[in-house]
C-alpha cells in the first residue's frame, strides 16, 4: 500500500471520497431539472442596476496621502508628534483615538482623507450608517449622585453614595476642579476598604492592545455612576508601561489611582464626584485609519553599520531568551527584567514568537524609549 506524502491535502480530499457524503443521484437530478425548468429572465422584470455609493468604492480611496508641512489637513484636525489630534471648541484637551499606544513619532503619510469621527454632522464624508434614533418623548430626570433613589426600591440597581467623608467633613455639591472633586486624600483604611470591595467584582473595564481609547472615557464615567471605584484590567502591549497608563487615566478622566496590582488598576472617582456635573465627551462613531509612521524598529540602529547590525543579530539568535511573552499577557515586569539582564550582557533576547508582528514592534519601540 502506498503511503500518502501530503497529509494536509488528504484531509481536505477525505470528505469527497467518503461514500456517505456524496450527493445522491435523485437529488442531483432534481436539482438539474429545477435549474433547467426555470423561466427565462424577462427583460421588463429585470431591476435597474443600482449605482454604488462612492463611500463603498475601494478604487477611489487614496492609499497614501502626504502630510502637509504647514497648516491643518482638515478643519479641527492637527498632525502632532503622537499622531492625529482632533480639536473641538470648548474641549478640555485634544482628542485622540488612543492616548497611550500612539507612537512617539510624527506620521509620514495618511491612509485616508482626514475627517472628524464624532458624528454625521461633523464629518465631511457621506453618512453610510443608520440614521440616529429619534429622541424619546419621555423626559427622564437627570441622574444626580447626591440625590439617590430610595434604598431597596424595586427595579432600581444599587447605587453608592458620594464619599467616603471623614468626621467634620462636608460634601461639596458644586465641585468644579479635579482637586475639589477628589477632596481630601484617602487614608490607608479607606483605601483598604475601597479596594477590598472591588477585588472580586465582576463588573470591570477591559483594556487591550489599543490602550486607553477615547470612548473608554465615557465608559469609566458609566462605572462611576453607581460605584466609587472603577476596576480596569489591562492586557497586552499597554502593560509594558503601566505608569503611562495610570498618568493618562488621571489626566484625561480626572480620578485617582489608589491601587495597582499587575495589570489591574483601581481608579477612585473622588469624594465629591457628581455624575450630573461630569465632563461629557463626544463619542467616536468610526475608528480612524492609523497614519503611516516611520519604522518603529530600524533595520540598522543609530550608531551601527549594516555589518555590525547583522553580526549582532547573529549573536542574538544564539542567546537564551530571558522570558517568553504570551499573547494578551501582562508584561509589567518586562522593563525591569531587561535592565537586570543588561547588567550581565550587552545583548538581550526576548521570545515574542507567540505575539503578532505589530505587537512585537510596539514592545520593541517601548523598550527602546
Amino acid at each position: 500500500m502506498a503511503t500518502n506524502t501530503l497529509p494536509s491535502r488528504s484531509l481536505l480530499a477525505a470528505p469527497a471520497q467518503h461514500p456517505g457524503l456524496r450527493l445522491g443521484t435523485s437529488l442531483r437530478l432534481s436539482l438539474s431539472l429545477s435549474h433547467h425548468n426555470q423561466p427565462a429572465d424577462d427583460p421588463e422584470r429585470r431591476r435597474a442596476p443600482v449605482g454604488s455609493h462612492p463611500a463603498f468604492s475601494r478604487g477611489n480611496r487614496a492609499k497614501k496621502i502626504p502630510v502637509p508641512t504647514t497648516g491643518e489637513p482638515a478643519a479641527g484636525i492637527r498632525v502632532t508628534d503622537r499622531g492625529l489630534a482632533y480639536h473641538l471648541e470648548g474641549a478640555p484637551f485634544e482628542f485622540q483615538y488612543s492616548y497611550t499606544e500612539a507612537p512617539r513619532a510624527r506620521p509620514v503619510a495618511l491612509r485616508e482623507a482626514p475627517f472628524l469621527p464624532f458624528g454625521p454632522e461633523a464629518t465631511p464624508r457621506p453618512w453610510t450608517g443608520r440614521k440616529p434614533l429619534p429622541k424619546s418623548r419621555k423626559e427622564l430626570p437627570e441622574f444626580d449622585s447626591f440625590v439617590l433613589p430610595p434604598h431597596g426600591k424595586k427595579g432600581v440597581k444599587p447605587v453608592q453614595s458620594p464619599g467616603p467623608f471623614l468626621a467634620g467633613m462636608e460634601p461639596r455639591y458644586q465641585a468644579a476642579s479635579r482637586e475639589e472633586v477628589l477632596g481630601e486624600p484617602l487614608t490607608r483604611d479607606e483605601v483598604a476598604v475601597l479596594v477590598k470591595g472591588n477585588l472580586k467584582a465582576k463588573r470591570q473595564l477591559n483594556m487591550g492592545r489599543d490602550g486607553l481609547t477615547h470612548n473608554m472615557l465615557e465608559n469609566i464615567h458609566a462605572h462611576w455612576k453607581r460605584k466609587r471605584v472603577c476596576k480596569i484590567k489591562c492586557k497586552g502591549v499597554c502593560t509594558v508601561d503601566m505608569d503611562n497608563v495610570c498618568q493618562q487615566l488621571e489626566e484625561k478622566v480626572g480620578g485617582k489611582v489608589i491601587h495597582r496590582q499587575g495589570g489591574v488598576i483601581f481608579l477612585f472617582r473622588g469624594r465629591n464626584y457628581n455624575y450630573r456635573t461630569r465632563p461629557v465627551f463626544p463619542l467616536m462613531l468610526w475608528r480612524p485609519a492609523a497614519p503611516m509612521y516611520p519604522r518603529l524598529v530600524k533595520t540598522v540602529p543609530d550608531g551601527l553599520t549594516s555589518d555590525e547590525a547583522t553580526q549582532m543579530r547573529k549573536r542574538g539568535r544564539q542567546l537564551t531568551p530571558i522570558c517568553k511573552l504570551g499573547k494578551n499577557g501582562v508584561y509589567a515586569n518586562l522593563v525591569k527584567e531587561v535592565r537586570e539582564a543588561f547588567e550581565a550582557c550587552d545583548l538581550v533576547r526576548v521570545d515574542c514568537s507567540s505575539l503578532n508582528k505589530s505587537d512585537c514592534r510596539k514592545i520593541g519601540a517601548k523598550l527602546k524609549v
Side-chain angles (χ1 to χ4, degrees), residues 16-188:
Q17 298 174 2
H18 198 282
L21 297 179
R22 292 182 179 178
L23 192 63
T25 307
S26 59
L27 182 59
R28 284 184 293 179
L29 182 59
S30 61
L31 288 177
S32 60
L33 291 176
S34 61
H35 176 71
H36 289 291
N37 292 336
Q38 289 181 355
D41 294 338
D42 189 0
E44 297 181 358
R45 299 180 60 182
R46 291 180 181 177
R47 295 182 178 179
V50 181
S52 61
H53 199 281
F56 296 102
S57 59
R58 296 183 177 272
N60 297 334
R61 295 184 182 180
K63 295 183 179 180
K64 187 175 182 181
I65 302 176
V67 178
T69 56
T70 58
E72 298 179 351
I77 302 176
R78 197 165 64 91
V79 181
T80 64
D81 294 339
R82 300 299 299 270
L84 293 179
Y86 308 98
H87 177 72
L88 300 180
E89 294 184 3
F93 51 86
E94 291 184 339
F95 300 145
Q96 291 180 330
Y97 174 73
S98 177
Y99 297 102
T100 59
E101 301 309 309
R104 298 181 181 179
R106 185 178 178 83
V108 296
L110 304 178
R111 300 181 187 273
E112 64 179 3
F115 63 94
L116 290 176
F118 299 106
E121 296 83 10
T123 175
R125 72 175 188 176
W127 170 250
T128 58
R130 298 180 179 178
K131 295 182 180 180
L133 297 176
K135 295 184 179 180
S136 177
R137 297 181 180 179
K138 184 178 180 181
E139 295 183 359
L140 299 176
E142 193 172 0
F143 185 86
D144 196 327
S145 300
F146 287 86
V147 183
L148 301 180
H151 182 70
K153 185 178 179 180
K154 185 178 180 181
V156 177
K157 297 180 181 179
V159 182
Q160 291 184 349
S161 60
F165 298 108
L166 299 175
M169 185 183 302
E170 296 182 359
R172 297 182 181 180
Y173 182 78
Q174 298 294 339
S177 62
R178 177 174 179 267
E179 290 73 16
E180 293 178 353
V181 173
L182 291 178
E184 298 295 330
L186 296 173
T187 62
R188 288 189 176 181

Side-chain angles (χ1 to χ4, degrees), residues 105-275:
R106 185 178 178 83
V108 296
L110 304 178
R111 300 181 187 273
E112 64 179 3
F115 63 94
L116 290 176
F118 299 106
E121 296 83 10
T123 175
R125 72 175 188 176
W127 170 250
T128 58
R130 298 180 179 178
K131 295 182 180 180
L133 297 176
K135 295 184 179 180
S136 177
R137 297 181 180 179
K138 184 178 180 181
E139 295 183 359
L140 299 176
E142 193 172 0
F143 185 86
D144 196 327
S145 300
F146 287 86
V147 183
L148 301 180
H151 182 70
K153 185 178 179 180
K154 185 178 180 181
V156 177
K157 297 180 181 179
V159 182
Q160 291 184 349
S161 60
F165 298 108
L166 299 175
M169 185 183 302
E170 296 182 359
R172 297 182 181 180
Y173 182 78
Q174 298 294 339
S177 62
R178 177 174 179 267
E179 290 73 16
E180 293 178 353
V181 173
L182 291 178
E184 298 295 330
L186 296 173
T187 62
R188 288 189 176 181
D189 296 338
E190 289 175 337
V191 172
V193 172
L194 291 173
V195 173
K196 185 178 179 180
N198 292 272
L199 278 176
K200 299 182 179 180
K202 295 183 180 180
R203 183 178 173 84
Q204 65 183 17
L205 194 62
N206 298 324
M207 185 181 299
R209 65 173 58 182
D210 291 336
L212 178 62
T213 57
H214 175 76
N215 289 350
M216 288 182 64
L217 304 181
E218 185 65 24
N219 294 339
I220 293 175
H221 285 285
H223 281 255
W224 281 346
K225 182 179 180 180
R226 303 188 179 277
K227 299 195 69 175
R228 297 173 178 174
V229 177
C230 176
K231 181 181 177 182
I232 305 174
K233 192 171 185 179
C234 308
K235 287 186 177 182
V237 183
C238 63
T239 59
V240 177
D241 193 359
M242 291 296 295
D243 294 336
N244 181 38
V245 174
C246 296
Q247 179 184 356
Q248 294 296 329
L249 281 171
E250 293 181 352
E251 290 181 359
K252 299 301 185 295
V253 190
K256 178 69 176 178
V257 177
I258 59 176
H259 185 67
R260 191 180 79 188
Q261 183 178 1
V264 182
I265 299 174
F266 296 89
L267 190 63
F268 177 59
R269 65 183 183 181
R271 296 181 186 269
N272 304 304
Y273 176 82
N274 190 356
Y275 183 80

